[in-house]
């Protein structure tokens, strides 16, 4: 027996050592192989993510270029400015472009747009005027595909990808669009963010290393992806996860061998000691020493109990007071530890033999545990007490409770949000208290009756539940509920599926929020973006979109598509959507309407009257359209109606009724009665219609034909009317314009610019300040408004001659009335953009100013803000030349164009004329009030005086006085009158 025991003392530890060593070595080898596999998998995953990110980046930028080319304007007078604004907007929204280049149809670089910061570029404005080949790219005019090249710039020390295409291969006149990309910067940002420092990687393209991080080690863990396309170039991505600084497998093997040896040695010692113990002692020691509890044996002693035996763990448990407690009786020990009541419980166990158990908080600081579990049982004549340290468990329970309370407070306190839990059948079993703040129902009411409160579910509900069933998170969706108070609320749910280890769905959790206000705001913004704020009709943008849809429908209807069937949408997805049921018809009819005598109302009563007239007219129009027709306001007094699924004869009958209603309509404003009319251009929309632009142009020409034929009538455009671009009416105006230039057929008008901060009693002595206005004498038709002949003059290149006529004849009028000059402070003369950029016109004006007897300081030239900014260098030269002669300058319509105070600071003007669109509603519109305040204050800070246009009433004038605006101009202050009357009246007044 003893021999067998001795044999076990050495054999068992040896076997254990060999077994543990083999186990740890196997584990170390496995971990090393698993680590290599994990590195390969991680590198593969990150490489795929990087590839996807680069492909997404590439597709977004290419799509942006296609969108820019698709939106390229057909009739844009200055394509460079349009392109520069669009390019800067595009580069501001989508980072990564190093340059955007517009090349004209001749292959010369017209403009280069570059971002302000963050990207290196090899292409700048220094290339303007050079051929396309200077970019390193040669593009075919007729290719539909983007052409791309990878180039290296020694100046920027970066690789660049240059790609481009003809803007419209079908219309080469638009030129080319080329985009440049800084490859190093893009890859550095994107790969640096996605990959991180724990990976070595290399990106190649065109047999060149474009980007590299770290060194690739050939240890079998290198991942090389299939080639992919980035910005139309083929790239190769190689990636490797870096080695851990610690070899976990080898470390486990070494530690495992040491632990195996240590365990075997301990086992050997235990076995050797066990031989020397009796069976009973061995059992007791095994049970006692293996226990995680302090085991204490007490025997009765004169009404108390004395400690007989304690295991080793008790010394650890009561460390710090072990020696003091050893010499005490049980009553003294409990009193020492501040838990004397436990002594009485131990006595009761000794008396009645019923075991006792309790969790006790330790108040004393003499031992380490804060909470202990006490068990007392009777063992023969003695009592056995086990004590376990449960401090960590109680702390964990306390922390968990506090965490749950904190989570509940956080969840219940979320504003307009709540969290929820649903079953697999999508029944709510828990919602946080936030539901009551949103719907008014308690959490219990909502869970029990949720289906009763639902008013609308998303159309894709089935797809959402299928996605959740697969264990995938769906996109957030919106459901509509009826609240306790009856209101309809929109709630957005974001579901997260909860699955078990087998991937089966066990619950759905998520967070929901009240999006009622957001949806209402989106609908309001959408409505405002597509509707005219004055009349509530569709605006020009929405009309153009719908017109293109109608043309597409007609074209698609006439294209044979086999057995394809058309369907009509059954409803609307958004309240504010402009979507209308599409009536697939053979033809529609468009009517272009221009109001007759609208300008008379505006000029006589001001813009508020004009606004009121437009509202009432739009109400009349609504009475003659039905649900499938389209009615829009596309300009100041211009409207369009598209009658759908109706023949031309049917439409003309309705137009007869509409014109009769308009002719019977009387507009009354401030005791003034006005008769208005409507000139309507009518054109059929059918399969022969080429484009929306051509359609509108033809309808517009037909409208002017109707106006020429006598107004308040319609004129039907036919295919043989294609030469009506300049009709008889327009020819008459053009003829009158040429006649006026040759025979002084214009008439000068004037409107006073009144000081707003001069007392009434001093107004009479104040020098006059007025603006020169121009009217064209049409002989038989009377005076022609500038709104008709100015666009014709600009279109036919006559505007600089008109400007010279105005300057010359204004000076002649003043020269012939020297007495009037003494009463004049400033005479403002408008100059067009054509004159501003005409060096010969500048020379003529300067020569005329030098030869006149009118003091130059009496003359103020007005130029519009948009014209000045568009021709900034020419404007500065023009202003500088005439200011040297003593003339002053005013910046007209400020705020309606670029509205840049930087330009204002760089233009040497004396007056800033605040655009009337901000002034006319300043009394009622706080935004207009703030805008005028800002313009006025900044202009004053620059030493410039301000003039407010469109002062339509006394209330507006009072507000402007409060804001310290210097001058005002409008019907409330003075109405336009012939310049000759003003000059003679002042002369007569002076002589009197």
């Amino acid at each position: 027996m003893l021999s067998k025991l001795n044999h076990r003392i050495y054999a068992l530890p040896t076997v254990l050592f060999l077994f543990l060593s083999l186990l740890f070595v196997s584990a170390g080898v496995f971990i090393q192989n698993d680590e290599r596999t994990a590195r390969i998998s991680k590198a593969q995953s990150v490489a795929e993510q990087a590839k996807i990110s680069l492909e997404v980046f590439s597709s977004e930028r290419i799509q942006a270029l296609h969108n820019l080319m698709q939106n390229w304007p057909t009739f844009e007078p200055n394509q460079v400015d349009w392109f520069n604004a669009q390019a800067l907007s595009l580069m501001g929204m989508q980072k990564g472009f190093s340059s955007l280049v517009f090349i004209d149809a001749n292959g010369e670089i017209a403009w280069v747009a570059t971002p302000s910061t963050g990207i290196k570029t090899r292409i700048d404005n220094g290339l303007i005027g050079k051929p396309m080949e200077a970019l390193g790219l040669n593009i075919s005019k007729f290719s539909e595909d983007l052409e791309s090249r990878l180039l290296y710039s020694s100046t920027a020390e970066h690789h660049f990808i240059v790609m481009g295409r003809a803007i419209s291969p079908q219309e080469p006149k638009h030129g080319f669009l080329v985009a440049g990309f800084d490859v190093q910067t893009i890859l550095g940002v994107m790969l640096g963010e996605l990959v991180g420092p724990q990976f070595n990687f290399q990106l190649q393209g065109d047999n060149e290393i474009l980007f590299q991080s770290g060194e690739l080690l050939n240890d079998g863990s290198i991942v090389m992806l299939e080639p992919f396309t980035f910005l139309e170039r083929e790239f190769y991505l190689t990636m490797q996860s870096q080695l851990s600084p610690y070899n976990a497998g080898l470390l486990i093997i070494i530690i495992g061998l040491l632990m195996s040896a240590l365990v075997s040695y301990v086992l050997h010692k235990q076995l050797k000691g066990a031989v020397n113990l009796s069976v009973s002692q061995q059992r007791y020691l095994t049970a006692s020493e293996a226990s995680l509890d302090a085991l204490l044996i007490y025997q009765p002693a004169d009404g108390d109990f004395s400690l007989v035996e304690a295991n080793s763990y008790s010394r650890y448990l009561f460390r710090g007071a072990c020696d003091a407690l050893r010499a005490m009786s049980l009553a003294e020990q409990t009193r020492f530890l501040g838990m004397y009541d436990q002594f009485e419980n131990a006595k009761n166990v000794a008396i009645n033999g019923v075991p006792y158990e309790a969790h006790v908080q330790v108040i004393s600081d003499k031992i380490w545990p804060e909470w202990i579990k006490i068990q007392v049982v009777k063992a023969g004549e003695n009592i056995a007490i086990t004590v376990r340290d449960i401090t960590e468990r109680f702390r964990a329970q306390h922390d968990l409770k506090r965490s749950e309370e904190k989570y509940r407070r956080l969840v219940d306190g979320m504003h307009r949000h709540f969290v929820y839990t649903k079953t697999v059948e999508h029944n709510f079993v828990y919602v946080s208290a936030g539901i009551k703040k949103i719907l008014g129902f308690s959490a219990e009411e909502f869970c029990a009756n949720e289906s009763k409160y639902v008013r609308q579910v998303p159309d894709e509900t089935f797809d959402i539940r299928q996605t959740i069933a697969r264990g995938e998170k769906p996109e957030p969706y919106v459901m509509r509920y009826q609240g306790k108070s009856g209101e309809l609320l929109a709630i957005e749910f974001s579901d997260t599926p909860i699955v078990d280890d087998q991937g089966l769905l066990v619950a759905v959790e998520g967070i929901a929020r009240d999006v009622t206000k957001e949806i209402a705001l989106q609908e309001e913004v959408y409505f405002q973006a597509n509707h005219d704020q004055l009349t509530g009709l569709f605006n020009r943008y929405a009309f153009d979109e719908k017109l293109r849809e109608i043309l597409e429908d007609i074209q698609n209807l006439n294209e044979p598509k086999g057995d394809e069937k058309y369907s009509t949408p059954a409803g609307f997805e958004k309240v504010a959507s402009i979507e209308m049921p599409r009536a697939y018809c053979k033809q529609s009819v468009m009517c272009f309407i221009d109001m007759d005598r609208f300008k008379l109302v505006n000029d006589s009563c001001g813009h508020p009257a004009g606004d009121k007239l437009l509202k009432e007219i739009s109400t009349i129009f609504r009475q003659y359209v039905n649900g499938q027709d389209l009615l829009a306001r596309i300009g100041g007094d211009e409207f369009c109606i598209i009658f759908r699924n109706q023949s031309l004869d049917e439409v003309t009958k309705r137009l007869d009724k509409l014109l009769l209603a308009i002719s019977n309509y009387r507009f009354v404003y401030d005791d003034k009665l006005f008769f208005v009319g409507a000139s309507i251009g009518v054109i059929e929309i059918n399969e022969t219609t080429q484009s929306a632009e051509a359609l509108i142009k033809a309808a517009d020409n037909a409208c002017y034909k109707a106006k020429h034929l006598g107004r308040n009538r319609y004129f039907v455009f036919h295919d043989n009317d294609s030469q009506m671009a300049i009709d008889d009416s327009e020819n008459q105006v053009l003829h009158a314009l040429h006649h006026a230039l040759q025979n002084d057929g214009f008439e000068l008008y004037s409107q006073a610019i009144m000081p707003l901060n001069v007392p009434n009693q001093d107004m009479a002595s104040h020098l006059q300040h007025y603006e020169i206005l121009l009217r064209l004498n049409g002989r038989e038709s009377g005076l022609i408004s500038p709104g008709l002949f100015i666009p014709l003059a600009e279109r036919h290149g006559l505007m600089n001659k008109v400007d010279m006529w105005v300057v010359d004849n204004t000076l002649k009028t003043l020269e012939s009335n020297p007495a009037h000059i003494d009463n004049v402070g400033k005479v403002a003369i408008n100059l067009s953009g054509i004159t501003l950029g005409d060096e010969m016109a500048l020379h003529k004006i300067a020569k005329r100013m030098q030869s006149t007897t009118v003091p130059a300081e009496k003359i103020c030239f007005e130029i519009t803000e948009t014209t000045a900014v568009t021709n900034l260098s020419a404007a500065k030269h023009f202003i500088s030349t005439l200011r040297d002669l003593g003339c002053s300058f005013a910046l007209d319509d400020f705020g309606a164009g670029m509205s840049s105070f930087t330009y204002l600071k760089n233009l040497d003007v004396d007056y800033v004329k605040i655009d009337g669109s901000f002034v006319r509603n300043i009394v009622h519109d706080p935004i207009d009030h703030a805008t005028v305040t800002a313009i006025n204050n900044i202009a004053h800070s620059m030493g410039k005086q301000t003039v407010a246009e469109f002062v339509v009433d006394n209330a507006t004038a009072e507000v402007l006085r409060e804001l310290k605006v210097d001058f005002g101009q409008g019907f409330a202050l003075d109405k336009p009158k012939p310049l000759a009357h003003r000059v003679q009246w002042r002369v007569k007044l002076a002589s009197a």
Side-chain angles (χ1 to χ4, degrees):
M1 183 68 179
L2 185 59
S3 175
K4 290 182 179 181
L5 290 175
N6 289 331
H7 177 72
R8 291 176 182 176
I9 290 173
Y10 295 97
L12 288 177
T14 302
V15 172
L16 179 61
F17 174 76
L18 294 175
F19 173 75
L20 291 178
S21 297
L22 180 61
L23 181 64
F24 280 109
V25 169
S26 300
V29 173
F30 174 81
I31 288 174
Q32 283 183 325
N33 292 332
D34 184 69
E35 182 181 14
R36 183 181 297 107
T37 303
R39 287 174 55 215
I40 294 174
S41 176
K42 186 189 298 183
Q44 181 74 32
S45 175
V46 173
E48 290 291 343
Q49 292 179 13
K51 172 186 172 184
I52 292 171
S53 297
L54 292 174
E55 289 176 337
V56 169
F57 175 92
S58 174
S59 63
E60 288 179 347
R61 296 328 181 261
I62 291 174
Q63 184 61 44
L65 293 177
H66 281 296
N67 291 341
L68 182 57
M69 289 186 282
Q70 290 173 1
N71 294 328
W72 197 269
T74 305
F75 303 104
E76 178 65 29
N78 194 330
Q79 291 187 337
V80 170
D81 286 350
W82 183 92
F83 164 74
N84 187 50
Q86 295 295 321
L88 293 178
S89 173
L90 174 60
M91 291 188 288
M93 292 187 295
Q94 293 192 354
K95 306 301 181 183
F97 289 95
S98 65
S99 59
L100 279 171
V101 183
F102 168 49
I103 302 172
D104 60 23
N106 297 323
E108 292 186 356
I109 298 174
W111 189 253
V112 178
T114 58
S116 56
T117 57
I119 292 287
K120 292 186 177 181
T121 180
R122 62 180 286 273
I123 304 173
D124 54 31
N125 283 323
L127 297 177
I128 294 177
K130 294 185 178 181
M132 181 195 308
E133 288 75 13
L135 301 176
L137 195 65
N138 192 358
I139 304 173
S140 171
K141 289 184 178 181
F142 307 101
S143 176
E144 293 281 350
D145 300 323
L146 288 169
E147 297 186 23
S148 172
R149 284 197 63 189
L150 177 66
L151 303 171
Y152 179 78
S153 172
S154 58
T155 304
E157 296 184 348
H158 276 197
H159 283 87
F160 292 83
I161 290 180
V162 180
M163 58 192 301
R165 197 199 77 179
I167 295 172
S168 175
Q170 294 77 20
E171 297 181 276
K173 65 179 182 179
H174 293 308
F176 306 84
L177 181 63
V178 175
F181 299 88
D182 181 357
V183 177
Q184 265 79 8
T185 302
I186 293 172
L187 297 179
V189 173
M190 296 189 67
L191 294 181
E193 291 178 348
L194 288 172
V195 178
Q198 67 271 33
F199 294 91
N200 301 326
F201 60 90
Q202 186 180 87
L203 191 69
Q204 292 180 310
D206 288 1
N207 297 322
E208 294 187 39
I209 297 176
L210 303 180
F211 199 81
Q212 181 170 356
S213 175
E215 294 292 335
L216 298 175
L217 302 178
N218 190 13
D219 60 353
S221 63
I222 296 177
V223 173
M224 177 176 290
L225 296 182
E226 292 291 327
F228 63 96
T229 302
F230 175 70
L231 296 175
E232 302 298 315
R233 308 300 301 173
E234 190 170 76
F235 281 16
Y236 298 83
L237 179 61
T238 306
M239 186 167 293
Q240 181 184 49
S241 177
Q242 292 184 355
L243 284 169
S244 171
Y246 305 101
N247 191 329
L250 181 60
L251 192 61
I252 287 177
I253 292 174
I254 295 173
I255 294 175
L257 292 174
L258 293 176
M259 290 181 62
S260 300
L262 180 61
V263 170
S264 300
Y265 177 78
V266 171
L267 177 62
H268 169 72
K269 285 296 183 182
Q270 288 180 345
L271 291 175
K272 189 174 182 180
V275 174
N276 301 321
L277 297 175
S278 64
V279 175
S280 60
Q281 289 176 327
Q282 184 63 38
R283 289 176 180 174
Y284 171 77
L285 289 175
T286 302
S288 176
E289 297 303 326
S291 175
L292 296 177
D293 301 332
L295 180 58
L296 308 169
I297 306 298
Y298 290 88
Q299 64 182 6
D302 299 329
D304 200 348
F305 299 90
S306 59
L307 182 63
V308 177
E309 192 172 350
N311 65 352
S312 60
Y313 187 79
S314 63
R315 291 189 291 275
Y316 172 78
L317 184 64
F318 296 105
R319 60 191 182 278
C322 185
D323 294 336
L325 292 172
R326 185 183 296 276
M328 298 179 184
S329 65
L330 180 59
E332 293 171 338
Q333 289 175 347
T334 54
R335 191 179 292 110
F336 177 78
L337 297 176
M339 52 180 72
Y340 185 73
D341 55 329
Q342 300 302 323
F343 173 70
E344 296 298 328
N345 295 325
K347 285 180 63 177
N348 293 334
V349 172
I351 294 172
N352 54 39
V354 178
Y356 168 76
E357 180 178 312
H359 297 86
V360 181
Q361 184 178 9
V362 180
I363 307 300
S364 173
D365 59 353
K366 299 189 174 53
I367 59 176
W368 287 96
E370 298 176 5
W371 285 86
I372 57 176
K373 177 182 178 181
I374 298 176
Q375 290 179 315
V376 184
V377 296
K378 188 172 184 179
E381 296 297 326
N382 300 330
I383 58 172
I385 301 177
T386 57
V387 182
R388 176 176 295 178
D389 182 4
I390 57 174
T391 302
E392 292 301 323
R393 191 177 78 181
F394 263 75
R395 284 179 180 174
Q397 290 176 346
H398 182 66
D399 291 343
L400 179 60
K401 183 178 180 181
R402 286 196 304 175
S403 176
E404 290 176 347
E405 292 175 350
K406 182 177 180 181
Y407 170 76
R408 189 171 297 278
R409 287 195 303 271
L410 176 64
V411 168
D412 292 344
M414 288 192 300
H415 179 66
R416 311 301 291 177
H417 288 67
F418 65 89
V419 297
Y420 56 87
T421 301
K422 296 191 293 185
T423 64
V424 177
E425 294 76 22
H426 295 274
N427 297 319
F428 286 87
V429 294
Y430 166 76
V431 292
S432 62
I435 191 69
K436 187 172 182 63
K437 296 179 182 178
I438 299 175
L439 294 177
F441 301 110
S442 66
E444 293 76 14
E445 287 179 294
F446 183 80
C447 290
N449 305 294
E450 181 266 344
S451 59
K452 297 180 181 180
Y453 307 142
V454 175
R455 292 296 175 267
Q456 183 181 356
V457 298
D459 296 336
E460 60 276 11
T461 298
F462 179 78
D463 295 334
I464 293 172
R465 295 195 174 184
Q466 288 291 99
T467 302
I468 295 174
R470 294 194 300 268
E472 301 173 2
K473 183 177 177 64
E475 292 294 325
Y477 57 91
V478 176
M479 296 181 63
R480 296 185 184 272
Y481 289 86
Q482 183 172 353
K484 195 168 187 178
S485 59
E487 74 279 15
L488 194 64
L489 299 169
I491 298 179
E492 181 185 74
F493 290 87
S494 180
D495 289 347
T496 300
I498 307 301
V499 298
D500 58 15
D501 295 338
Q502 286 74 38
L504 299 176
L505 183 68
V506 296
V508 179
E509 295 179 348
I511 185 169
R513 65 187 184 103
D514 180 8
V515 295
T516 307
K517 293 182 179 178
E518 288 89 337
I519 291 179
L521 180 60
Q522 291 174 1
E523 292 173 348
E524 180 181 356
V525 170
Y526 193 84
F527 182 87
Q528 291 178 356
N530 291 279
H531 290 76
D532 175 47
Q533 294 186 9
L534 179 64
T535 62
L537 303 177
F538 287 139
N539 57 20
R540 180 60 181 264
Y541 169 79
F543 175 79
D544 289 343
E545 290 295 317
K546 294 304 300 177
L547 178 58
R548 289 185 174 88
E549 289 180 8
I550 292 172
L551 293 178
E552 290 176 4
D553 290 344
I554 293 176
Q555 294 297 332
N556 293 336
L557 183 66
N558 288 277
E559 292 179 3
K561 296 185 178 180
D563 297 331
E564 182 177 351
K565 297 181 179 180
Y566 295 95
S567 61
T568 302
F572 299 88
E573 185 176 348
K574 293 184 178 179
V575 174
S577 174
I578 67 170
E579 288 295 328
M580 300 166 55
R582 295 187 177 182
Y584 295 100
C585 56
K586 293 185 178 179
Q587 69 174 28
S588 298
V589 178
M590 187 176 83
C591 301
F592 189 99
I593 307 173
D594 185 87
M595 298 305 302
D596 299 329
R597 291 181 288 278
F598 173 77
K599 183 170 178 57
L600 175 62
V601 176
N602 252 359
D603 292 345
S604 302
C605 303
H607 289 280
D611 291 347
K612 183 173 183 293
L613 172 60
L614 291 175
K615 290 181 181 178
E616 295 180 3
I617 285 296
S618 65
T619 302
I620 296 176
F621 288 154
R622 285 189 175 97
Q623 299 172 7
Y624 293 90
V625 296
N626 56 36
Q628 71 176 7
D629 298 334
L630 179 64
L631 171 61
R633 180 189 176 202
I634 63 172
D637 61 342
E638 295 174 343
F639 298 82
C640 264
I641 302 177
I642 296 181
F643 294 99
R644 306 192 63 179
N645 201 15
Q646 297 180 53
S647 67
L648 183 60
D649 291 338
E650 292 173 328
V651 171
T652 54
K653 292 178 182 179
R654 295 175 70 175
L655 291 179
D656 288 333
K657 296 178 181 179
L658 173 61
L659 289 172
L660 179 61
I662 294 175
S663 63
N664 293 332
Y665 166 72
R666 302 293 181 267
F667 178 67
V668 180
Y669 192 86
D670 286 345
D671 297 329
K672 296 180 181 179
L673 181 65
F674 296 93
F675 296 83
V676 296
S679 298
I680 306 176
V682 183
I683 184 170
E684 285 185 299
I685 307 175
N686 50 41
E687 64 274 8
T688 63
T689 302
Q690 296 180 352
S691 66
E693 293 77 10
L695 190 69
I696 294 175
K697 183 177 179 180
D700 188 18
N701 289 334
C703 176
Y704 277 101
K705 184 68 175 179
K707 192 178 291 290
H708 170 69
L709 292 175
R711 302 174 182 264
N712 202 43
R713 65 186 63 223
Y714 61 82
F715 182 83
V716 179
F717 178 92
H718 297 288
D719 290 339
N720 56 5
D721 297 328
S722 58
Q723 298 302 318
M724 284 179 51
I726 302 178
D727 58 9
D728 293 339
S729 174
E730 188 174 295
N731 281 329
Q732 288 181 5
V733 175
L734 189 60
H735 178 73
L737 185 60
H738 281 288
H739 184 272
L741 288 171
Q742 295 175 4
N743 302 287
D744 291 337
F746 294 108
E747 186 170 344
L748 294 176
Y749 271 60
S750 64
Q751 185 179 29
I753 300 175
M754 305 296 290
L756 296 176
N757 300 310
V758 175
N760 292 333
Q761 59 271 23
D762 299 335
M763 191 69 72
S765 62
H766 198 274
L767 294 178
Q768 285 192 81
H769 186 174
Y770 53 84
E771 179 182 356
I772 299 298
L773 308 176
L774 188 63
R775 301 291 185 266
L776 174 61
N777 193 336
R779 293 179 293 179
E780 297 179 359
S781 59
L783 294 180
I784 301 175
S785 169
L788 292 177
F789 70 82
I790 291 296
L792 274 178
E794 291 177 342
R795 190 187 312 168
H796 294 277
L798 302 174
M799 200 60 222
N800 52 354
K801 295 181 180 179
V802 174
D803 286 345
M804 287 304 304
W805 190 95
V806 173
V807 173
D808 184 54
N809 283 271
T810 300
L811 293 177
K812 285 180 180 179
T813 302
L814 296 176
E815 289 168 348
S816 61
N817 295 275
H820 174 71
I821 296 177
D822 296 335
N823 298 317
V824 171
K826 283 287 186 293
V827 177
I829 302 174
N830 285 280
L831 296 178
S832 66
I834 297 175
T835 301
L836 197 64
D838 188 347
E839 186 69 27
M840 184 60 69
L842 172 61
H843 175 72
K844 290 180 180 179
I845 294 175
K847 186 176 180 180
R848 183 68 177 88
M849 290 302 304
Q850 290 171 342
S851 64
T852 184
T853 58
V854 179
E857 60 270 14
K858 302 274 188 183
I859 302 301
C860 176
F861 291 104
E862 290 191 6
I863 57 176
T864 64
E865 175 203 0
T866 302
T867 300
V869 172
T870 305
N871 305 280
L872 186 59
S873 59
K876 293 175 71 173
H877 173 63
F878 197 99
I879 293 172
S880 173
T881 302
L882 294 181
R883 283 186 66 88
D884 290 342
L885 300 178
C887 301
S888 55
F889 276 82
L891 193 60
D892 199 8
D893 298 336
F894 188 79
M898 301 297 183
S899 304
S900 172
F901 292 112
T902 301
Y903 294 128
L904 180 60
K905 187 171 77 170
N906 293 330
L907 289 173
D908 193 8
V909 297
D910 305 273
Y911 300 91
V912 175
K913 299 190 74 173
I914 305 171
D915 188 71
S917 62
F918 301 113
V919 178
R920 59 195 296 185
N921 295 320
I922 192 173
V923 177
H924 308 290
D925 193 329
I927 297 178
D928 287 346
H929 189 283
T931 303
V932 172
T933 302
I935 295 174
N936 184 61
N937 291 341
I938 294 177
H940 282 171
S941 69
M942 296 179 181
K944 307 179 190 302
Q945 292 183 293
T946 52
V947 181
E949 302 176 321
F950 289 90
V951 182
V952 295
D953 50 38
N954 292 330
T956 301
E958 288 302 319
V959 172
L960 294 171
R961 288 189 182 97
E962 293 174 1
L963 296 178
K964 305 298 182 184
V965 175
D966 300 300
F967 298 91
Q969 183 179 2
F971 285 96
L973 303 175
D974 184 55
K975 294 182 179 179
K977 58 174 65 72
L979 177 61
H981 293 181
R982 184 180 300 276
V983 171
Q984 295 169 6
W985 178 77
R986 295 295 292 185
V987 171
K988 291 177 181 178
L989 184 64
S991 61

